[in-house]
Amino acid sequence: MLLIEKGNMELIEDLKLIKTPFHKAVITIGNFDGVHKGHQALFHQVIEKAEEINGTSVVITFEPHPLKVLGNNGPPLITRKDQKIELISATGIDKILCLPFTREFAAISAQSFIKDLLVGKLGMKAIVVGSDYTFGRNREGDLDVMQKAGKDIGFEVLTANWINDTENGLERISSTRIRELVVEGRVDETPKFLGRFYQIRGKVVKGRARGGSKLGFPTANIKLHDELCPKNGVYAVTVETEAGKFKAVANIGYSPTFDDHIFTIEVHLLDFSKDLYNTRIRVNMIKRLRDEKRFSSLEELSQQIRKDIHLARKILA
Ligand code: RBF
Ligand code: MG
């Protein structure tokens, strides 16, 4: 895995591996899908507090998404596990606990969660939470419960300052808002919330094998798993491969010029012609260019793709 390491982040995926409590743990807990600017601000608050008390900054997150275990499917993800961990690591957090969210875990009482796990096992001295944070079975734990326990047991409860922060415009950052933008194809509006472009990742799979031979624009096709898919259409993108990063155009949808009604996500890389089949690629969604169209000839489709490429080159320049 390509970890963007900053400091010496340690990833722990099993609580049994923790034999002794961390030294003065400053903890935050959440799903953190997207690791957006609000989450990033929260992590910086954790790091700052840890530095102040000479302690350890700890992020606890869950995999899979709790909603996926507790019923529904859970929302489509902005960041799947590997990217989420990379992004949290990049903020400078010391320890990431990425715990399997099971039914047993969901059944732990709020009191036991705080006393036995957070304080007892992890050595919590401070926790940073949002005002709407709930935890423990049936969501019986909330900010009040946490503050009371803090007084009783002796740890500090800090509330996340980004949530109410209207001055720098951080107040409206939410994973839900980002998902809406992506679903609407407004990917160019996501960086102000994410601090980066929305990225999808996948292994290159077999496509229809006609892009190169019939159209003159070979494409690498990827499949998504649990990941949020941008609105169908044509996009200017950049693609990260084992051979480096390239400008590219993408098409998401059913290619209505053809009648097979097969959904694909395809990228045509500019200035690159090697076979990417079976390799993993990352596609940064920069800007949506247009809707997919049905063309009456391959020649017209090719001509439109040439125009798309021309426009993409300008946008990506
Ligand atoms: N197929 C369509 O039927 N209509 C389109 O508007 C369309 N636009 C595309 C734009 C780009 C930049 C690319 C790379 C592909 C596009 N395709 C479109 C998909 C094309 O039909 C597909 O790559 C080939 O059929 C191979 O699967
Ligand atoms: Mg293809």
Side-chain angles (χ1 to χ4, degrees):
M1 194 164 40
L2 288 151
L3 280 181
I4 314 158
E5 290 214 30
K6 179 169 173 181
N8 298 302
M9 186 279 293
E10 185 188 8
L11 171 65
I12 300 160
E13 301 187 82
D14 184 351
L15 282 174
K16 286 197 208 81
L17 299 173
I18 300 171
K19 305 287 185 211
T20 52
F22 300 124
H23 179 67
K24 297 184 182 171
V26 180
I27 296 178
T28 191
I29 309 167
N31 183 62
F32 305 126
D33 181 34
V35 194
H36 57 55
K37 281 187 173 179
H39 298 145
Q40 292 165 26
L42 182 67
F43 300 150
H44 287 299
Q45 208 179 336
V46 170
I47 291 165
E48 250 171 49
K49 184 68 193 175
E51 277 169 1
E52 185 189 309
I53 66 171
N54 225 326
T56 311
S57 55
V58 181
V59 169
I60 302 178
T61 190
F62 302 100
E63 200 61 43
H65 195 289
L67 285 176
K68 206 166 178 171
V69 177
L70 299 174
N72 343 349
N73 282 320
L77 299 177
I78 301 167
T79 47
R80 295 185 71 225
K81 183 178 163 187
D82 58 341
Q83 191 189 12
K84 184 162 87 172
I85 289 164
E86 285 171 23
L87 290 166
I88 297 173
S89 175
T91 65
I93 285 287
D94 295 321
K95 313 276 178 189
I96 302 175
L97 270 60
C98 184
L99 306 175
F101 194 87
T102 58
R103 286 188 170 276
E104 297 85 83
F105 197 90
I108 299 173
S109 73
Q111 289 304 327
S112 168
F113 182 73
I114 296 173
K115 246 184 128 207
D116 303 328
L117 179 65
L118 298 182
V119 177
K121 193 165 180 72
L122 303 180
M124 182 169 77
K125 284 282 177 274
I127 184 165
V128 185
V129 291
S131 54
D132 58 350
Y133 178 61
T134 60
F135 58 96
R137 78 184 160 215
N138 305 325
R139 302 193 149 165
E140 62 192 17
D142 59 13
L143 186 59
D144 257 15
V145 170
M146 192 60 89
Q147 276 164 337
K148 228 168 248 144
K151 287 207 183 86
D152 291 348
I153 312 172
F155 60 85
E156 227 180 303
V157 180
L158 310 171
T159 47
N161 47 31
W162 65 271
I163 289 171
N164 304 312
D165 191 338
T166 49
E167 253 175 43
N168 59 9
L170 287 177
E171 88 279 13
R172 289 167 112 185
I173 301 174
S174 76
S175 302
T176 307
R177 183 77 195 107
I178 295 164
R179 283 187 202 107
E180 281 168 6
L181 288 173
V182 173
V183 165
E184 292 168 10
R186 294 158 66 185
V187 293
D188 55 316
E189 294 174 54
T190 61
K192 65 173 182 280
F193 298 121
L194 287 173
R196 61 183 191 276
F197 285 99
Y198 179 61
Q199 183 182 78
I200 53 179
R201 297 178 171 197
K203 199 189 214 180
V204 177
V205 297
K206 280 266 177 274
R208 304 180 182 90
R210 70 175 171 219
S213 56
K214 286 200 171 167
L215 272 179
F217 299 101
T219 59
N221 297 44
I222 58 169
K223 275 218 162 73
L224 301 185
H225 305 272
D226 310 325
E227 223 173 349
L228 179 65
C229 188
K231 181 180 180 176
N232 289 359
V234 179
Y235 291 81
V237 303
T238 58
V239 178
E240 297 171 31
T241 76
E242 287 166 355
K245 187 170 172 178
F246 300 90
K247 294 171 183 167
V249 280
N251 185 62
I252 300 178
Y254 293 90
S255 308
T257 302
F258 304 87
D259 293 316
D260 51 15
H261 306 286
I262 299 170
F263 178 82
T264 55
I265 299 171
E266 323 177 67
V267 291
H268 169 73
L269 277 65
L270 312 182
D271 317 310
F272 181 82
S273 58
K274 289 204 192 76
D275 192 2
L276 291 170
Y277 182 60
N278 250 328
T279 66
R280 304 200 139 269
I281 62 171
R282 301 170 175 188
V283 182
N284 301 303
M285 307 300 301
I286 313 291
K287 184 158 177 56
R288 189 171 186 275
L289 305 180
R290 64 174 176 89
D291 286 330
E292 277 192 298
K293 272 186 277 189
R294 186 187 170 99
F295 291 93
S296 41
S297 72
L298 284 178
E299 184 42 46
E300 280 171 74
L301 173 56
S302 296
Q303 207 165 321
Q304 178 59 52
I305 294 177
R306 267 194 293 278
K307 281 187 198 159
D308 297 333
I309 290 172
H310 187 74
L311 181 54
R313 278 199 196 277
K314 272 196 195 157
I315 290 167
L316 300 170

